[in-house]
Amino acid sequence: MWSSNTNMNGGIKDSDKLLKLKYPTLSIQSLSNYLLALHTKLRDQSTNTQEFVKYSNKLVHSLLEYTLSILPADYYDIKTIQTPCNVPFQGCSLISSISYNNNNTDNTMNSQLNLCGISIVRAGESMEFGLRSLIPDIPIGKILIQRDEFTQNKQAKLFYTKLPMNITQAKQIFLMDPMLATGGSCILAIKTLIKLGVTIQQITFINLIACPEGLQRVYAKYPQLKIVTSFVDQGLNEHCYILPGIGDYGDRYFGTV
Ligand code: PRP
Ligand code: URA
Ligand code: MG
């Protein structure tokens, strides 16, 4: 049996340390016992749809909080407030997703898109609620991509996109999909964005479960992509499913098993 936490040192698996050396823009959530308990619940085949949604929401929330915690300082504004003890406290606040500037020459308002989410439908939609709960004003676009189960390497196919108009100006785009298996869906989503004029520096791929094969394929194509993941599993089986994995995330979340 593959053990999830063999050779752990300070919450980091030895295998993760090597991956982080290989891919400098890869961030892996530190593995606490609490995080491991959430993964255990979600991955258990006896967990029903209702519980799956509940634990998925918890894991996504924790992953998104981690993502926000590693954003560079220029995503935050310095903010001073008065505490109930009437003492000033200097802290910060996350920049708004959209900022409005008054154009002094013709007195019109220009808007700037700072943060934006995009979910890879279907399973990526499970991360939208978590993103909105942390950043209520964030625009969320959608890219519908499905793996073709009849092709041997589960080729990803694009069906539909609906994105914010000014997507190319976004300071950072959170591209969300809970599963990174062969990497085909992630690569196709990024290709679609790049075709529209988005740069790789503008994208952070946020993911719950990755595997070495998927990371290798994505990083071979986009070495500068920022990936934030909760867990890197052992690898793929002959059907391109992640092991130990979770099964089909979309089917389990939406109850279409
Ligand atoms: C799943 C998952 C990813 C993709 C990952 O989607 O949500 O999008 O597979 O696999 P890959 O890295 O090999 O491309 P799926 O096609 O099953 O659609 P679903 O979200 O509707 O379940
Ligand atoms: N998509 C899933 O939902 N699960 C896998 O293991 C691989 C792709
Ligand atoms: Mg699926």
Side-chain angles (χ1 to χ4, degrees):
M1 185 186 59
W2 183 74
S3 168
S4 59
N5 58 353
T6 42
N7 304 324
M8 267 224 321
N9 196 346
I12 304 175
K13 288 183 274 150
D14 282 348
S15 54
D16 287 355
K17 278 190 195 152
L18 290 175
L19 287 170
K20 281 157 78 93
L21 279 176
K22 208 166 157 188
Y23 310 122
T25 55
L26 172 66
S27 303
I28 306 172
Q29 232 182 324
S30 175
L31 187 60
S32 63
N33 285 334
Y34 176 66
L35 187 67
L36 189 57
L38 293 181
H39 271 273
T40 308
K41 194 73 196 170
L42 204 64
R43 290 160 183 265
D44 188 338
Q45 60 173 255
S46 68
T47 294
N48 66 26
T49 306
Q50 210 178 335
E51 279 191 314
F52 191 90
V53 170
K54 175 172 148 190
Y55 285 95
S56 166
N57 288 343
K58 286 177 189 281
L59 253 187
V60 167
H61 191 89
S62 140
L63 175 67
L64 290 170
E65 283 201 324
Y66 170 61
T67 307
L68 296 182
S69 78
I70 58 173
L71 272 181
D74 63 334
Y75 286 84
Y76 290 86
D77 289 325
I78 292 174
K79 184 172 181 180
T80 303
I81 50 94
Q82 291 291 118
T83 71
C85 305
N86 232 353
V87 176
F89 175 86
Q90 194 177 54
C92 67
S93 67
L94 185 67
I95 54 167
S96 325
S97 299
I98 304 169
S99 51
Y100 297 94
N101 308 311
N102 196 337
N103 185 341
N104 286 331
T105 49
D106 60 2
N107 216 17
T108 54
M109 295 286 263
N110 292 328
S111 66
Q112 161 68 39
L113 183 60
N114 294 319
L115 297 172
C116 159
I118 296 179
S119 63
I120 301 180
V121 180
R122 182 183 50 152
E125 287 181 307
S126 65
M127 302 171 77
E128 291 177 2
F129 174 78
L131 187 66
R132 267 275 157 75
S133 75
L134 289 172
I135 315 176
D137 66 340
I138 194 163
I140 300 180
K142 296 193 185 245
I143 301 184
L144 170 53
I145 289 174
Q146 296 279 289
R147 306 204 306 177
D148 183 347
E149 298 297 333
F150 298 105
T151 56
Q152 211 195 340
N153 58 354
K154 307 288 181 250
Q155 204 190 338
K157 294 203 166 142
L158 172 69
F159 293 92
Y160 169 84
T161 57
K162 184 75 185 175
L163 303 169
M165 291 271 283
N166 45 355
I167 185 89
T168 56
Q169 293 165 14
K171 191 171 160 83
Q172 201 56 220
I173 296 167
F174 295 137
L175 179 63
M176 302 180 290
D177 193 327
M179 304 304 283
L180 176 67
T182 67
S185 304
C186 172
I187 288 172
L188 184 54
I190 292 171
K191 252 190 207 160
T192 308
L193 293 175
I194 285 179
K195 247 191 210 163
L196 295 172
V198 170
T199 65
I200 200 68
Q201 288 81 4
Q202 285 172 281
I203 305 172
T204 300
F205 182 64
I206 307 180
N207 161 260
L208 282 183
I209 302 177
C211 63
E213 295 92 326
L215 289 171
Q216 163 128 23
R217 189 158 162 223
V218 172
Y219 274 123
K221 190 136 183 76
Y222 302 115
Q224 291 169 297
L225 176 70
K226 296 178 286 301
I227 298 182
V228 183
T229 189
S230 176
F231 214 99
V232 182
D233 271 25
Q234 184 185 0
L236 293 176
N237 69 9
E238 68 276 23
H239 305 294
C240 300
Y241 272 82
I242 297 175
L243 297 181
I246 206 162
D248 188 298
Y249 201 100
D251 280 343
R252 293 195 70 191
Y253 187 92
F254 291 105
T256 51
V257 199

